[in-house]
Structure formats: C-alpha cells, structure tokens
Amino acid sequence: MIELKNIDVTFQNGSHEFKAVDNVSLKINKGEIFGIVGPSGAGKSTLVRVINLLQRPTNGEVIIEGSDITKFNRKQLRKTRLNIGMIFQHFNLISGSTIAENVAFSLYANNYPKDKIKDRVKELLEIVHLPEKADAYPANLSGGQKQRVAIAGILAMSPSIIILDEATSMLDPKGKKEINLLVHQLNKDKDITILSITHDIEEAALSDYVVLLSDGHIIDTGKPEDVLMKQKEIESLALDVPFAYKISKGLQAQGIKVNNYIDREKLVKELCQLHSKK
C-alpha cells in the first residue's frame, strides 16, 4: 500500500548539509500495523512527513497504492492526502469549540452534506468511545480523551491509512493504553493501515512489523519479536528492551524455565500455566 524507494532527505544549514534520512526503502502492506522506532533525532518524523509530501524527499520515490506521488500535481496530491490521516503528539483541537464542533469541523472542511453532519459526528464519537463528551470542551478532557477526539476528526475523512507521529508521547500510561487499544480496534474493524512512529519500545512491540531507525538509516527490520529482543543493539541506541523480555531473562537467571517474550500477556499466560502444574 505504501512503498518508499531510496529516500534521501537533505537539509541545508548555511554551507553545511545534513542528511536526516539516508537511502531508506520500505514497504507497508494494506491492513498492517507498521512501527518505526528509534531514538530522538533518528529521522522518524522527517521520514513520515515524506509519506504525504509534507516534506519532499531530496531523492527517491513515494509510492502510494501503485502511484509515485512525488509526480502528482496539487489536485492529485490533495486527493491522496485526504486518504492519509495524521495524528501528532499535540492534539490540535479548537479550545473554544465543543468536542462535537471540533469533530464537525473536519466534515465541513471536506464538504460533507450539512444535513447529515450531526448524525455523523455522533457516530464518530461512538467509534472513539466518547459520545458523552459531545458538549464538553477540550479543557475538560484528559490527554487520552483529547487524542481520541483528534482521531475522530481524522476518521471523518474516511482514511485508509492513519499515521501516528509520536501520538502518545504526551500521554500518561492510561492515555497511552486508551490510544493503543483504539488504534488496534480501528485496524481490526475497519481494515485501516496503521503507521506508528515512536521511541516507545512497548508501543512498537504491538506492531505487526517494525523498522529500527537511527541517524536516518534503517538498522534492522522484521517482526517485533525478532528485532526488539536484540538487547545490545537496542540499548546501543539509548532505547530500552521490552519489559516482558527483561522479566523473562530475569526469571531464567533464577532457574525458571520460561520462553523469551516481548508480550506481557503471553508471559503471564505461561507463568500461570507453570504455576498450575505445581
């Protein structure tokens, strides 16, 4: 569904050139939850802005559903962008408008039939589990709730792709969990392709496929359980291995025979099975 071919992004600072993204190629399949993980300054946000040409690459091709959008005119590019929803770490809500009005703004902006907007807003708020907040204002909501409202606004465009650019980095653990659960529900129920940009290893572990990025380069790619258990590689990037993996290794050091996991639920399930055999 998305393919980046040999992407370079170079910025000029006076006489000095800085390459933020260096010869990156990757493919994201339809219906996939795809994680790009790396430390701050790895080039993650620059790379994701390339996908809908908020940042044009210095070199390379950006292929969306078979077409290289770097060759699109403005009209074609606008149509493509409507199919790609972007969620940022800042909620971008209008503080003086109600939650319903915030969601309706996206519908008005995209010429949705005015007589159907009220019902559509209600439907969207139900999808993000916030129907009771329709008349509230952003200041009355938690961080996780604000981000769910932002997602409702994006869903108003009926995108087939949603990109989350560090979308949970400003949230507390409860808010992170809310957003991750919602994203996975949208992926499952509506077959929306999800691209998650994060420095949070626990969040990356929830992906179907993950790319490890550092200094604009791809360091490793594969299933999360293949990439995120490489402790030395992960820690060399000032990242942390998943908590479940740490516990697995700690239990093994104590002589308890368990498999290595990055998924906490799978680890807990195996520990329960071991306990039931005693």
Side-chain angles (χ1 to χ4, degrees), residues 22-210:
D22 188 1
N23 195 32
V24 168
S25 297
L26 57 84
K27 291 182 180 181
I28 301 170
N29 296 316
K30 180 175 173 56
E32 193 168 48
I33 299 179
F34 192 100
I36 298 180
V37 63
S40 297
K44 303 186 302 296
S45 291
T46 301
L47 183 62
V48 78
R49 287 169 63 85
V50 166
I51 290 175
N52 64 359
L53 296 196
L54 290 176
Q55 173 66 54
R56 281 194 171 267
T58 309
N59 297 298
E61 299 175 55
V62 182
I63 299 170
I64 307 292
E65 297 183 320
S67 298
D68 182 2
I69 67 171
T70 64
K71 296 180 171 63
F72 278 10
N73 59 35
R74 288 186 178 183
K75 184 177 180 181
Q76 291 171 312
L77 189 55
R78 173 175 166 73
K79 185 177 179 180
T80 295
R81 284 173 172 163
L82 289 174
N83 197 39
I84 305 173
M86 292 196 70
I87 306 292
F88 301 96
Q89 57 182 293
H90 300 291
F91 314 119
N92 297 324
L93 301 181
I94 303 168
S95 60
S97 298
T98 66
I99 298 309
E101 288 168 345
N102 268 277
V103 176
F105 180 80
S106 295
L107 296 168
Y108 281 112
N110 289 286
N111 299 314
Y112 198 83
K114 291 182 179 180
D115 60 331
K116 296 181 179 179
I117 286 180
K118 185 176 179 180
D119 288 341
R120 181 58 174 156
V121 167
K122 182 180 178 181
E123 179 186 353
L124 290 166
L125 288 177
E126 286 174 349
I127 289 172
V128 299
H129 312 300
L130 288 174
E132 75 285 0
K133 299 294 184 181
D135 297 323
Y137 287 85
N140 305 126
L141 271 59
S142 69
Q145 289 172 329
K146 290 176 184 176
Q147 200 62 291
R148 281 191 273 159
V149 174
I151 291 173
I154 290 298
L155 290 175
M157 301 187 301
S158 300
S160 59
I161 302 164
I162 292 181
I163 299 174
L164 298 104
D165 186 5
E166 301 281 7
T168 65
S169 63
M170 304 284 284
L171 305 181
D172 60 20
K174 183 176 182 293
K176 285 177 183 280
K177 185 175 182 180
E178 289 175 355
I179 297 304
N180 286 323
L181 286 172
L182 175 59
V183 164
H184 280 71
Q185 179 187 340
L186 292 172
N187 171 257
K188 180 181 177 182
D189 295 348
K190 298 186 176 297
D191 198 31
I192 296 177
T193 302
I194 305 293
L195 175 56
S196 176
I197 312 304
T198 183
H199 62 268
D200 186 331
I201 288 290
E202 302 294 341
E203 198 165 293
L206 301 172
S207 305
D208 298 318
Y209 195 88
V210 69

